[in-house]
Amino acid sequence: MKRISVFCGSSTGASPLYSESAKQLGTQLAKEGLTLVYGGSKVGIMGVVANAALQAGGEVIGVIPKMLMEREIAHTGISELIVVNTMHERKAKMEELSDGFVVLPGGPGTMEEFFEVYTWAQLGEHRKPIGILNSNHYYDKLLTFFDHMVQEQFLKSEYQSMMIVEEDPKPLIEKFFTYDPPPLTKWITRQQT
């Protein structure tokens, strides 16, 4: 494991705990010798996690679409900034570059990024760990909704267990190193005998 993609908000949110968790994660990634791959922005907790990784001596790769580059929110002080044409290309590039994914608090864009890589994992497009850093219990209601999905049989429990959920970055990243994905069973039919 060499590179971890982090999906997070372009806002700092209502609580200072969100920025504090982002700082801790950026620092932890650098301490573990892992490169941070993220959306390339200097604003919100995106900027916080990038700056923390840099300050701890880590490498940071940003992937940003041209339209956001032109709005002057790109972080120009990171190790490498990759400019792509679209948001779709951004996600594909981040997935290609990364050995795992961490979701910090964020809005609809963060959720969209998370759900895409989570769906890809269920379909076997990748076998990489996906972690939710549940800062300030931000994702409690989403996690309850996943329980509801399992109960209503729209999500298999083994796919729910693909998500590594922690409130602290250190145990979250430690679990990435021992992650063992469940066997692929989605839409695999058994041969009739």
Side-chain angles (χ1 to χ4, degrees), residues 35-43 46-55 58-64 69 73-83:
T35 297
L36 166 66
V37 178
Y38 85 117
S41 178
K42 65 182 177 184
V43 299
M46 293 175 77
V48 172
V49 72
N51 289 334
L54 290 168
Q55 287 167 5
E59 182 181 2
V60 178
I61 299 172
V63 183
I64 193 165
M69 183 78 178
I73 61 170
H75 196 315
T76 55
I78 58 178
S79 312
E80 182 181 357
L81 184 65
I82 299 169
V83 181

Side-chain angles (χ1 to χ4, degrees), residues 4-5 8 10 13 20 28-29 44 49 63 70 109 124 161 165:
I4 302 295
S5 269
C8 58
S10 58
E20 184 55 37
Q28 188 64 37
L29 290 173
V49 72
V63 183
E70 292 162 3
S161 70
V165 182

Side-chain angles (χ1 to χ4, degrees), residues 163-178:
M163 292 179 285
I164 301 167
V165 182
E166 291 288 342
E167 294 176 26
D168 185 295
K170 192 174 190 313
L172 181 76
I173 297 304
E174 285 173 355
K175 288 181 179 178
F176 272 40
F177 289 108
T178 59

